[in-house]
Every structure is written in structure tokens, then in C-alpha cells.
Amino acid sequence: MIDDVADIIHIDDDFKDNLIRCRITYDKHGIKVQYFDYIPKNIQSFKLIECNYIDYTYKYDDRNLLNDLLSQKGDCDEIIIIKNGLVTDCSIGNLLFLKDDIWYTPNTPLLKGVQRAYLLDVGKIHLTAIHKNDICQYKKVMMINALNAFDENRAVSIKCIF
């Protein structure tokens, strides 16, 4: 058992001056730590993709379904996953939507991410149900995750989605 995750993270000199992503996976047999160069995605457009059977309650190592959905994005940069008519997340993070100068996040996320939880805790964003037909009521959309904090400069105009 590990008391402090910092005890298992040892960054190699190859990553010394780079922005890196650390992936820790585990099961009953052990823990695996991997490091990757992190290159932020420049998301300027989204495509709506419907999938009513997706379940990503926990951050699984198996991303095959997410990758299959992402492969349907066409000329867009990223997808917005719709489940049972409601907005959930994109393939790499949670989503925020701007309406009347207030940021909202869907109350139907696939994964309750740490950045999303933090922003809810400090009152910067608010929960709401967002039906796919209501997306046009919002002005902007922004992807957030552990490596992409809230930054209005990354928000994309909703007109870019369709």
C-alpha cells in the first residue's frame, strides 16, 4: 500500500524541462507509473456524438470506446458526448458552458473530474442539466481537466460546434 503517491513518482532527466503527464494505473497485482510529454490540444470546434451505452464512472485504462467515438469527429477538433439526450463530457475532459456570464457544467458527466470538483467547490461553476437541443442557448464552451484549468481564453464560441 502507498501512503503518498509522491513516493512512487520519479521524473527522469529526459523530461526535466518539459511539461509532462504522469499516468498511474493499478490493480490488485501492482502499480504502473508512466510519463509522457504533454502537448495541450488546441480545441476550436466540437462535434456532437451520441452514445447511450457509455459508462466511464471511473477513469479506466481502456479508452477504446472513447477513441472510437473520437474517430467520428470528422473535421472537428473534439467531440461532445451526448448520452440519453443530455450533454456529458468530451473525450479528454469535462465541459463548461457560458450563459449570461455564468459558467455551468452538465450534471450528467461521464467522469467527475478533479478540476470540475474544485471549480464547483469554490463556486466558480454551477451544475445544470444541458439537453443537446439546449446547447445553442449557451455562448461558449470550454474543456477542463487536471492539466487544463479554467481559462476563458480557451473557451470556444458555441457557433463553432455545429
Side-chain angles (χ1 to χ4, degrees), residues 59-105:
K59 195 164 187 168
Y60 302 112
D61 202 26
D62 179 359
R63 292 182 49 88
N64 287 329
L65 179 55
L66 288 171
N67 291 336
D68 287 346
L69 296 175
L70 185 61
S71 73
Q72 301 173 44
K73 68 182 176 69
D75 292 339
C76 293
D77 300 318
E78 184 53 69
I79 60 174
I80 293 176
I81 301 168
I82 307 296
K83 182 176 181 179
N84 300 320
L86 296 169
V87 173
T88 62
D89 291 326
C90 68
S91 72
I92 59 169
N94 297 124
L95 296 170
L96 306 179
F97 292 83
L98 180 65
K99 179 178 173 182
D100 299 326
D101 294 323
I102 300 171
W103 285 97
Y104 296 93
T105 191

Side-chain angles (χ1 to χ4, degrees), residues 7-37:
D7 292 340
I8 63 170
I9 297 175
H10 306 286
I11 301 170
D12 192 279
D13 286 342
D14 293 344
F15 293 107
K16 186 178 175 184
D17 295 320
N18 300 1
L19 186 57
I20 63 166
R21 180 170 60 104
C22 174
R23 175 186 290 160
I24 300 171
T25 54
Y26 58 92
D27 61 21
K28 63 183 177 182
H29 303 293
I31 297 172
K32 183 168 123 182
V33 181
Q34 297 172 286
Y35 305 95
F36 307 92
D37 282 320

